[in-house]
Structure formats: structure tokens, C-alpha cells
Amino acid sequence: MIPVRGVEGARIGVLGLGRSGLSAARALRAGGAEPVCWDDNPEARERAEAEGFEVADLSHPRAFETIASLIVSPGIPHLYPSPNKVVAAAQEAGVPVDNDIGLFFRSLALPEWDNFDLAPRVIAVTGSNGKSTTSALIHHLLLEAGKSVQLAGNIGRGVLDLDPPENGGIVVLELSSYQTDLARALTPDVAVFTNFSPDHLDRHAGLGGYFAAKRRLFAEGGPDRAIIGVDEPEGRYLAGQLSEGPTDDRVIRVSVERKLSGPGWSVGARKGFLSEYRKGRQVASIDLRNVPGLPGAHNHQNACAAYAACRTLGLAPRIIEQGFASFAGLPHRSQRIAEKDGVIFVNDSKATNVDSALKALQAFDNIRWICGGLEKEGGLAALAPALSHVRKAYVIGREAAQFALQLEGVEAEICTEMAQAVQSAMAEAEAGDVVLLAPAAASFDQYDNFEKRGEDFMAEVRSRL
């Protein structure tokens, strides 16, 4: 645990008692604070009480008379589409609002670091797609290289549950826009921006607000190194904002769509080969085509970002290449789960928006595509460039018929339920086909989360093998 610093004797409100909220309450208590916890869910309140925390309704009109600050869990809106009533009450009372990420950054450094040979470092990863895979891959590469490294944030453990890093230790954080938007402190040593596409627009009042939330990771604390995916205008803008000029190697540009030129530091992947360039010269190359845990151009982009992050820490290209080969990938993200009679089954339930589904479709040919769910804003037109890879779509979800109507030129079967989609796809699949779950939609019309949806897909496939 990382005790929160500078809170001794203060009463601190904690709103939301899931993983990050309870973790924050424990770390606040360890730092000498008096957490006052609240969650609308009675079961969550009972869990907090069982750990000895004070539980009080923070929406009470006088709740903030003795509260010094409020710590808010990521799923709770603090501004758009409208602030939670407790957050609004805190703001009305002039009480600062923060989250566990802000507490982490302000509490991480300790006096004993002065005696370390190498101060611990933090790598923070954000972006629209690929954050989890990039974060997990960086963690894996550093572990394989023998480094002391921990993974947390939007993946793995809560940030305040981490052990205080030791001499030369590294912390890898995956950070969502919900987390970067509210944190009062953001000071990573290395910050990574994978890519950008529309998502969470209601929470950020549009595309500009969503980008602004991502940009805070780079603008607030000024990382020593910034690794920026520049295949979208937002990434190119961000790289330009951070760089002092073409030769400024504090900014490492990443692309999988074009060959980057110029005297700066860049990492790109084209036709399955990763290349690193510095001062106009190629200094390394890695063949990614046969790395089983990183299929497709979108995973090659993740590999480039992870490679660049590890290079900033001094890892040699050959060490990184060895780590790539042993990376198994993450559950529900281009996860190869089975193969039978020449048919491959891939679970990409994490493809909850059109952009991530597009990249999944572009990674394979001869696809039996299981798709559908709670459709997000913008429609499905952006999938058009990859629909030629699809032999047939098997559409699930409560609005399956409406979803299928948007798949112009693709044969589609309205299945509604996962069991029917898997049964039909497996019955019609031939050798060389890929049965791919890449929904291009959220899961909440039928499942609690994308993990449950992916688990259902895997269970249906395996029950029929």
C-alpha cells in the first residue's frame, strides 16, 4: 500500500466504494486521515463498514462542513453530462475534488528515495484504444528484462494498493479519460498516447472535451518523455505542442500508417516490421509478423508504443524482441481461444467501439463475425474499409435487426443471443475461416461488462468443440 501523504487528521470524503474507492479509503487511513465513505449501493456500504470505515450520507446538506476534500471513483460524473449530487455539493461548498490517481502522484515519492541509486519511475499510458495491451506489454517486457515493475490503474491493481517502489522500481499505469480528467496531480516520467477516436462523448461533452481529458496527462506534469501516436490529427497536434523542434527527442512519434521522416526519434511498423529511427538513421528493426500475442496492425501500434517506452528506460532492442515473443496477449483483446479443423476462434470482446472493431476486422481474413450490442454514437459507417474481410455477420443484442441494417453489402443473420450466433458461425465455418467476436458496441444491453460477454463467447465455443 502507498499511504496518502499530507492528510494527517483530515476528514476526507470517499464517494464510490468499488475497487479504487476502497483502496483510496485504506490508503487515506494509512496516511492518518479519517475517511468518510459513501456509496448508493447498500452492499458496498456494508463492505466499508466491515473494514471499520465511517459511512455517512455525503449528500446530506451539512455533510461537507467538516470534510477537507472529496475523492471520487472513476465511474461517477463530476461535470458532464451533469455532476453527481455529492460532487455538486462538494463544489458548492468549495471542497476540492480529486481521485485516487491524484492521491497516488502526490504521495509516491518518499524521503528514502534520496538514498536510492536510481529513483523509481512511472510510465502512464492513455489513448482511445490499445491502452490495456500497451500497458500490459510494457509490464511484460520489463519483467522479462529482470526489472522490478508493477502494473496498476485501469488494469490490474488499484494504484494505491501498489507496494512502494524500491530502488530502480518502475510503475506502469493504464489511465482512462475518466481518471486523467479529474486527477489534481499527474506527473509521470514517461507518458504514452496510443491513438485517438470518438468515445465517452457524453461524459466529456463532446470530442474536444474527450481529447482535453487525455491531453491533461501531458500538459499538467510535463513528462520527461512523451510517446505519441501520430496517425490521427489529435496525436500530431499533441506531439507538436510538446516538442521544441524537429530534433527534440523528448517526443517519440509512433505510426503504423506512414513512414515517419526527419531528424527526431520515431518508431513505426509497416508490413509487419517495427523500425526505430533516430537522427534520420534506422537503429533497429523487429519482425512482428509471427508474434502470436500481437496480431494485426493495431497490435503492431501497441508494440511500437511499448517498444518506445522501454527504449526510454534503456532496454536494448534484442531484449525487447525476446519479450515480444513470449507475450501471450490479454483476455478479450484479440485473444485466440481455440482452433479446430482449420477454423480459428478469436475473442475480442473489448472491441466496444467502431474504431477498435475496425482494427480487429483488419487483422484477419475470411471472418465469421459475431457483432452487435448497445450501439454507440456515430453509427457503423467507419467499418466499411474492413467489411470485405467478412464472409458473414452474426448479430447479437437487443437491437440486432437495426444493427444489421447498417452492414451494407454483408450477409447478416439476426441471432440476438450469443449461443445462436456461435452455433450458426461454427456450423457454417470452413477451413481458413476465423470466427471473431468483435462487437463494435457496448455490452450493457445483455451483459454486466465486456468481460462477461467474452466469457460467454468462450464458453459457447468450447462447449461445441
Side-chain angles (χ1 to χ4, degrees):
M1 179 189 297
I2 296 174
V4 178
R5 304 177 68 192
V7 295
E8 294 85 354
R11 288 172 59 80
I12 310 292
V14 178
L15 179 62
L17 299 173
R19 184 192 67 172
S20 66
L22 275 178
S23 170
R26 296 183 193 112
L28 285 163
R29 182 165 60 185
E34 300 176 21
V36 182
C37 302
W38 183 252
D39 193 298
D40 289 338
N41 184 341
E43 294 180 359
R45 298 199 297 267
E46 289 174 6
R47 288 194 295 270
E49 287 178 328
E51 293 194 32
F53 290 113
E54 178 183 348
V55 173
D57 186 353
L58 293 174
S59 64
H60 189 277
R62 301 180 64 181
F64 285 96
E65 290 182 356
T66 63
I67 299 293
S69 63
L70 177 67
I71 307 305
V72 179
S73 292
I76 299 173
H78 57 272
L79 186 56
Y80 301 114
S82 62
N84 175 277
K85 60 183 179 181
V86 173
V87 177
Q91 292 168 339
E92 181 69 24
V95 171
V97 179
D98 202 350
N99 61 14
D100 63 329
I101 304 301
L103 296 180
F104 167 84
F105 276 111
R106 86 183 204 198
S107 304
L108 182 63
L110 298 172
E112 49 262 39
W113 286 20
D114 293 339
N115 301 318
F116 287 173
D117 296 325
L118 182 61
R121 286 162 291 181
V122 177
I123 301 173
V125 180
T126 196
S128 296
N129 297 303
K131 297 185 298 296
S132 295
T133 297
T134 300
S135 301
L137 180 55
I138 294 170
H139 178 255
H140 173 81
L141 294 172
L142 293 171
L143 274 180
E144 291 294 294
K147 304 296 184 181
S148 173
V149 57
Q150 302 178 78
L151 177 65
N154 206 42
I155 184 175
R157 304 160 70 182
V159 291
L160 295 169
D161 280 336
L162 292 172
D163 300 322
E166 56 193 36
N167 188 4
I170 302 162
V171 173
V172 181
L173 301 181
E174 179 198 342
L175 299 181
S176 71
S177 59
Y178 293 3
Q179 293 168 310
T180 58
D181 195 22
L182 185 58
R184 291 168 62 88
L186 287 166
T187 54
D189 299 279
V190 180
V192 180
F193 182 89
T194 57
N195 50 53
F196 190 79
S197 62
D199 208 356
H200 308 305
L201 300 187
D202 58 336
R203 179 66 180 264
H204 299 292
L207 195 62
Y210 176 50
F211 176 61
K214 298 288 188 186
R215 184 179 178 274
R216 288 192 76 243
L217 181 63
F218 302 84
E220 294 298 313
D224 295 333
R225 300 277 189 184
I227 297 157
I228 311 292
V230 294
D231 286 334
E232 295 85 30
E234 292 81 2
R236 293 191 287 276
Y237 169 82
L238 182 58
Q241 287 276 295
L242 298 172
S243 174
E244 293 295 331
T247 62
D248 186 355
D249 67 359
R250 295 173 303 168
V251 177
I252 306 174
R253 292 168 169 82
V254 169
S255 176
V256 293
E257 293 184 359
R258 60 181 62 82
K259 183 178 179 180
L260 299 175
S261 58
W265 192 352
S266 66
V267 180
R270 301 182 71 202
K271 298 181 180 180
F273 285 87
L274 179 153
S275 298
E276 177 187 4
Y277 281 83
R278 299 190 73 171
K279 299 179 179 179
R281 295 176 54 251
Q282 183 174 338
V283 297
S285 178
I286 296 174
D287 186 352
L288 300 173
R289 293 174 298 174
N290 296 316
V291 178
L294 296 167
H298 62 304
N299 274 311
H300 294 172
Q301 183 182 59
N302 299 333
C304 288
Y307 174 94
C310 291
R311 289 289 283 145
T312 68
L313 301 184
L315 264 64
R318 62 179 181 81
I319 299 298
I320 298 174
E321 183 174 14
Q322 291 170 5
F324 282 156
S326 59
F327 181 65
L330 288 178
H332 314 296
R333 298 161 177 86
S334 298
Q335 179 187 11
R336 182 167 170 164
I337 61 170
E339 181 175 356
K340 184 179 180 182
D341 300 330
V343 178
I344 297 170
F345 299 86
V346 177
N347 167 26
D348 203 337
S349 184
K350 184 61 169 67
T352 58
N353 58 40
V354 167
D355 186 66
S356 54
L358 173 67
K359 291 172 179 176
L361 292 173
Q362 290 173 329
F364 303 100
D365 294 313
N366 303 319
I367 297 170
R368 303 281 176 177
W369 180 31
I370 298 177
C371 57
L374 192 62
E375 189 179 336
K376 296 186 176 180
E377 294 181 23
L380 306 178
L383 292 170
L387 294 183
S388 60
H389 295 224
V390 178
R391 297 192 65 182
K392 183 176 177 180
Y394 305 83
V395 189
I396 62 174
R398 294 178 185 172
E399 301 176 354
Q402 181 179 344
F403 193 99
L405 285 174
Q406 300 181 65
L407 303 177
E408 295 184 12
V410 175
E411 181 184 357
E413 178 180 335
I414 308 302
C415 298
T416 307
E417 301 294 333
M418 183 69 73
Q420 181 59 51
V422 172
Q423 179 177 320
S424 296
M426 292 184 73
E428 297 175 357
E430 303 170 350
D433 286 354
V434 175
V435 176
L436 171 68
L437 171 66
S443 59
F444 303 123
D445 58 334
Q446 292 181 305
Y447 301 94
D448 290 341
N449 49 53
F450 72 85
E451 292 96 340
K452 294 294 185 184
R453 178 171 58 191
E455 290 164 5
D456 190 20
F457 170 70
M458 292 189 292
E460 292 293 341
V461 168
R462 289 165 177 163
S463 71
R464 291 172 169 82
L465 292 178

